[in-house]
Amino acid sequence: MAPQQPRSGERASRPGIEVINRAVDLLAAFTQGPGSVLTLAELARRTGLPKPTLHRLLAALEVQGLVDRTASGYQLGIRLFELGEHVPRKHKLREAALPFMQDLFEASHDTVHLAVLDGTDVVYLERIHGHRALNVASRVGGRLPAHCTGVGKALLAYNPEAALRVMAMPLPPRTAYTITSHQVLAEELQRIRQTGISYDREENSLGITCVAAPIVVDGHAVGAVSVTSAPGSDVERYASAVRTAALGIRRSLGRTPILHPTPPRARASKKEPT
Amino acid sequence: MAPQQPRSGERASRPGIEVINRAVDLLAAFTQGPGSVLTLAELARRTGLPKPTLHRLLAALEVQGLVDRTASGYQLGIRLFELGEHVPRKHKLREAALPFMQDLFEASHDTVHLAVLDGTDVVYLERIHGHRALNVASRVGGRLPAHCTGVGKALLAYNPEAALRVMAMPLPPRTAYTITSHQVLAEELQRIRQTGISYDREENSLGITCVAAPIVVDGHAVGAVSVTSAPGSDVERYASAVRTAALGIRRSLGRTPILHPTPPRARASKKEPT
DNA sequence: GGCTCGCGTTCCGTCATGCGGAACGGTGTC
DNA sequence: GACACCGTTCCGCATGACGGAACGCGAGCC
């Protein structure tokens, strides 16, 4: 009787090795939606995979420590964390940035962020805070659209390619203050290039403002730092401290190369213009 | 002519799905040995897999963002980091611990660690430090034998099962001060249980001493914090601060359940005694 | 120039291996 | 007792991963 409709429409021919795609989908399922301990049935619902298949996959992942079994279900395993910490774009940047982030924290006692760009999103690499932390939307390893965050705009200002991609897509509002016009965003990026400072005035989340500065290497932002605070307190106060921190991080990176993924096109021809 | 010898001897029947085992081996290869950008040929050497196979695997992993291609080779991708940050044992504990770790840092301006136990090893979840950081062997996402670190001994003291496993294995020395006798280690653990404090006096690395305290929930350590400093300065100074921080973290965890992987044996019968 | 070495890449015939519907045992619920 | 939902096992099928062989390329060497 089964209409047999492929759950997500594209059963046929996804690029890559199907087992691996499924395994990663499975791991990603833990990050979507609430709860961190999931039953096999719940995973079946989230991924659309048949239960025997999931059972087999989970057993294989458990052997490798990427998934743990607990009395009440499965959860992501510590081995996955270990691997994730060896990602060079995270590790090198964080190592260089942390001391400066600590300085910012001691000066402000507010939440301090470190982020990089991935596509048109911002991915948070680090986030330090004290006991009284504002209820920020970000989390380490989390992702937010670049156009509505302080770090995101700082990164876009020094990543023309990514900026173009953002300019080519709609800018969904997240609050009443989110920049939704490409024109306005372009002007904003221009202003950031002039001052070296980027602000987020409740553009992503009400009650949250940020000062951010890009970490610029060879005219290209490899990351950005920010200090977050409540709208009342004037964030401008930390502007120069954040900018100085970004410069310090830049210097501390020294000649550590932070390679960015090669865009698919530019690969065959090895002409690095820079 | 090919002798066809299976590279690592156990070609036949490794548990789990072979593609997945290989893929994880491949990812793990990036964490073994120096360098973070590896060529296909280098990966072939490290994993013992044939080049076409690797090529296919890498392409699949790249589609998922677990691996990036750069002009000079492959590196682990930011997506892997994202997944790793959703590991609950890391995330929940870190979130609760960070403010207290900041307190410790501000008080000492030394390196502050947060770690959990995995088997007979310690895995570092977090490590904060300032500009002048001692040259510590640890790194976030890194692994060290439990018996020769401050956090490790603190964790063992409140994990009888893991302690037993350590007692059943040889204790390789890492410095002249490493505890290599089971008898001595048992006494040390006993002392830790009495005082709630664990010391590492250059047992893992010369020039490095630590004070550590376990984060104990229901008589079971779910993690440990430590402050590291140079042998000259008396570490005892921070003993009570570290202990207090551990208690604070414990309280802050509240009723957040931190589930530990179910030991293989205890799974079928669902009798959780606690 | 030509030669060689090591690199990444493509092809393609083979067959191991992942697949998943069906069926089963256990537990909690109405 | 019937039902619903869970996790688990079985097993025949064919798909999709496998890897030896061969190729194009650039760097280094003579």
Side-chain angles (χ1 to χ4, degrees):
Chain A
M1 53 139 163
Q4 197 70 0
Q5 50 212 343
R7 243 71 168 202
S8 24
E10 36 52 287
R11 168 61 48 89
S13 79
R14 192 154 54 139
I17 301 180
E18 196 51 25
V19 202
I20 288 188
N21 287 332
R22 289 175 168 198
V24 178
D25 286 353
L26 172 51
L27 294 176
F30 284 92
T31 73
Q32 294 149 359
S36 52
V37 179
L38 303 182
T39 64
L40 187 132
E42 173 62 17
L43 287 167
R45 254 172 262 122
R46 293 197 185 185
T47 59
L49 293 173
K51 283 195 291 177
T53 301
L54 272 178
H55 191 259
R56 192 168 3 100
L57 276 174
L58 285 165
L61 292 171
E62 190 193 3
V63 170
Q64 293 288 347
L66 300 198
V67 154
D68 284 340
R69 283 199 82 154
T70 68
S72 51
Y74 296 91
Q75 64 183 8
L76 295 180
I78 206 82
R79 196 76 216 295
L80 190 58
F81 164 71
E82 277 185 74
L83 290 173
E85 283 302 316
H86 283 83
V87 173
R89 275 184 67 198
K90 137 88 181 182
H91 181 68
K92 293 176 179 173
L93 194 52
R94 189 201 114 106
E95 209 60 13
L98 187 62
F100 296 95
M101 296 176 70
Q102 291 293 344
D103 292 347
L104 287 175
F105 176 75
E106 286 199 44
S108 68
H109 280 97
D110 278 316
T111 302
V112 180
H113 283 124
L114 174 68
V116 294
L117 209 51
D118 188 46
T120 61
D121 288 337
V122 145
V123 175
Y124 288 94
L125 294 189
E126 188 57 281
R127 169 168 176 260
I128 63 181
H129 57 86
H131 296 280
R132 62 161 184 78
L134 295 172
N135 193 13
V136 193
S138 65
R139 70 173 270 180
V140 180
R143 208 173 255 273
L144 285 177
H147 73 279
C148 62
T149 64
V151 281
K153 290 187 293 181
L155 286 162
L156 289 179
Y158 292 86
N159 278 289
E161 195 170 323
L164 279 181
R165 237 175 306 168
V166 172
M167 289 303 175
M169 72 186 221
L171 305 177
R174 312 208 10 131
T175 73
Y177 305 102
T178 306
I179 297 177
T180 54
S181 143
H182 295 119
Q183 172 67 27
V184 174
L185 182 58
E187 290 165 12
E188 174 89 346
L189 296 187
Q190 183 56 36
R191 201 173 311 125
I192 293 170
R193 275 187 290 267
Q194 281 161 7
T195 59
I197 289 285
S198 159
Y199 290 102
D200 160 13
R201 303 180 186 282
E202 304 190 73
E203 294 159 37
N204 174 60
S205 186
L206 290 178
I208 303 287
T209 59
C210 293
V211 218
I215 302 161
V216 181
V217 176
D218 297 333
H220 180 93
V222 297
V225 265
S226 76
V227 169
T228 296
S229 52
S233 63
D234 64 327
V235 264
E236 285 84 356
R237 187 175 21 151
Y238 297 120
S240 69
V242 169
R243 217 170 94 83
T244 307
L247 292 173
I249 295 168
R250 202 262 104 121
R251 183 163 30 79
S252 179
L253 272 176
R255 287 284 85 223
T256 307
I258 298 201
L259 295 176
H260 283 261
T262 315
R265 229 16 33 212
R267 194 170 296 152
S269 62
K270 276 189 181 175
K271 51 174 101 168
E272 297 282 336
T274 315
Chain B
M1 55 143 160
Q4 196 69 359
Q5 50 211 344
R7 244 69 168 205
S8 24
E10 37 52 285
R11 167 60 49 88
S13 77
R14 192 155 52 141
I17 301 179
E18 196 51 25
V19 202
I20 289 189
N21 287 333
R22 289 174 168 197
V24 179
D25 286 353
L26 172 52
L27 295 176
F30 284 92
T31 72
Q32 294 149 1
S36 53
V37 179
L38 303 182
T39 64
L40 188 134
E42 173 61 16
L43 287 167
R45 255 171 261 122
R46 292 196 185 186
T47 60
L49 292 173
K51 282 196 290 178
T53 301
L54 272 178
H55 191 261
R56 192 165 5 98
L57 276 174
L58 285 164
L61 291 172
E62 190 193 3
V63 170
Q64 293 289 346
L66 300 198
V67 155
D68 284 340
R69 280 198 85 151
T70 69
S72 51
Y74 295 91
Q75 64 183 7
L76 295 181
I78 206 83
R79 198 76 217 294
L80 190 58
F81 164 71
E82 278 185 73
L83 289 174
E85 282 302 314
H86 282 82
V87 174
R89 276 182 69 195
K90 137 91 180 180
H91 181 68
K92 292 177 180 173
L93 193 52
R94 188 201 116 106
E95 210 59 14
L98 188 63
F100 296 95
M101 295 177 69
Q102 291 293 345
D103 292 346
L104 287 175
F105 176 76
E106 285 199 43
S108 67
H109 281 96
D110 278 315
T111 302
V112 180
H113 283 124
L114 174 68
V116 293
L117 209 51
D118 187 46
T120 61
D121 288 337
V122 145
V123 174
Y124 287 93
L125 295 188
E126 189 57 283
R127 169 167 175 258
I128 63 181
H129 57 85
H131 295 281
R132 61 161 185 79
L134 294 172
N135 193 12
V136 193
S138 65
R139 70 173 271 180
V140 181
R143 208 174 255 273
L144 286 176
H147 74 279
C148 61
T149 64
V151 279
K153 291 186 292 181
L155 286 161
L156 289 179
Y158 291 86
N159 279 289
E161 196 169 321
L164 279 180
R165 237 175 306 166
V166 172
M167 289 304 175
M169 73 186 222
L171 306 177
R174 312 210 8 133
T175 73
Y177 304 103
T178 306
I179 297 177
T180 54
S181 144
H182 295 118
Q183 172 67 25
V184 174
L185 181 59
E187 288 165 14
E188 175 90 344
L189 297 186
Q190 182 56 35
R191 200 174 313 124
I192 293 168
R193 275 187 290 267
Q194 280 162 8
T195 60
I197 289 285
S198 159
Y199 290 102
D200 160 12
R201 305 181 185 280
E202 304 190 75
E203 294 159 37
N204 174 61
S205 185
L206 290 178
I208 303 287
T209 59
C210 292
V211 217
I215 302 161
V216 180
V217 176
D218 297 332
H220 181 94
V222 298
V225 265
S226 75
V227 169
T228 296
S229 52
S233 63
D234 63 327
V235 263
E236 285 83 358
R237 189 174 22 152
Y238 296 120
S240 68
V242 170
R243 217 170 93 84
T244 307
L247 292 173
I249 295 168
R250 203 261 104 121
R251 182 163 31 79
S252 180
L253 273 175
R255 286 284 86 222
T256 308
I258 296 198
L259 294 176
H260 282 261
T262 314
R265 232 8 44 207
R267 192 170 297 151
S269 60
K270 276 188 181 175
K271 51 174 104 170
E272 298 278 338
T274 315

